[in-house]
Amino acid sequence: MAEQTSVSPAATAPAQTELWVERTGVRRYTGRSSRGAEVLIGSESVPGVFTPGELLKVALAACTGMSSDFPLSNRLGDGYDVTIRVSGAADRENEVYPELDEVVELDLSELDEAGRERLLVTVQRAIDKVCTVGRTLQAGTKVTLSFQVES
């Protein structure tokens, strides 16, 4: 009789990327990933860095771009150009961004009006379905914080 073995989902899942920031100066940090990526972070007064709020906005725009990439490249070809702009003023009294506005700049002049409309509906559905950053912001994710201190 053959032996049955089962593999737990955790054993087959890819390892989760570790993310962290390290302080590299006054009001200056470097964000890092276990895959070797780096991003410079700091306050608005520090040149050449993103603020944490800017990174949030860039993450949203990048997620929108990546979520729309397949339907757009499928219809327009791999060489299409797109720019996604994101903006939103901070409410400094409550330290939140009450609203973030995205604008997708895209040349669809080669399509007729019906084709443009169909493509934009498809793109919107893809973004709504798979943009994890946008879905997370809309859901209002619970964030937990703990401290690991040396004493």
Side-chain angles (χ1 to χ4, degrees):
M1 192 150 120
E3 236 181 85
Q4 287 186 331
T5 59
S6 63
V7 177
S8 71
T12 59
Q16 187 172 357
T17 301
E18 289 185 48
L19 303 170
W20 67 97
V21 297
E22 296 173 348
R23 186 171 191 263
T24 55
V26 176
R27 307 281 296 156
R28 187 179 182 98
Y29 289 78
T30 299
R32 302 183 192 281
S33 83
S34 58
R35 292 191 335 267
E38 293 184 349
V39 63
L40 302 178
I41 308 162
S43 63
E44 286 183 5
S45 63
V46 177
V49 301
F50 286 103
T51 68
E54 290 167 342
L55 283 175
L56 175 75
K57 293 174 188 178
V58 166
L60 177 61
C63 191
T64 294
M66 294 184 71
S67 298
S68 63
D69 197 76
F70 180 74
L72 287 173
S73 65
N74 192 40
R75 182 64 178 92
L76 303 174
D78 287 335
Y80 78 94
D81 293 321
V82 66
T83 299
I84 299 121
R85 299 189 190 279
V86 62
S87 61
D91 170 353
R92 289 298 173 204
E93 184 175 318
N94 296 300
E95 288 300 334
V96 297
Y97 291 97
E99 185 173 327
L100 296 174
D101 299 305
E102 288 184 284
V103 176
V104 178
E105 298 174 358
L106 186 62
D107 180 1
L108 299 180
S109 60
E110 67 182 46
L111 304 177
D112 63 20
E113 187 174 335
R116 284 193 298 272
E117 189 61 34
R118 277 192 310 275
L119 180 58
L120 293 176
V121 167
T122 301
V123 167
Q124 182 69 58
R125 284 183 184 150
I127 293 166
D128 291 345
K129 183 177 180 180
V130 299
C131 179
T132 305
V133 175
R135 293 172 57 86
T136 298
L137 289 170
Q138 290 172 347
T141 296
K142 177 184 172 185
V143 177
T144 60
L145 174 67
S146 61
F147 295 89
Q148 180 178 336
V149 298
E150 296 177 25
S151 49

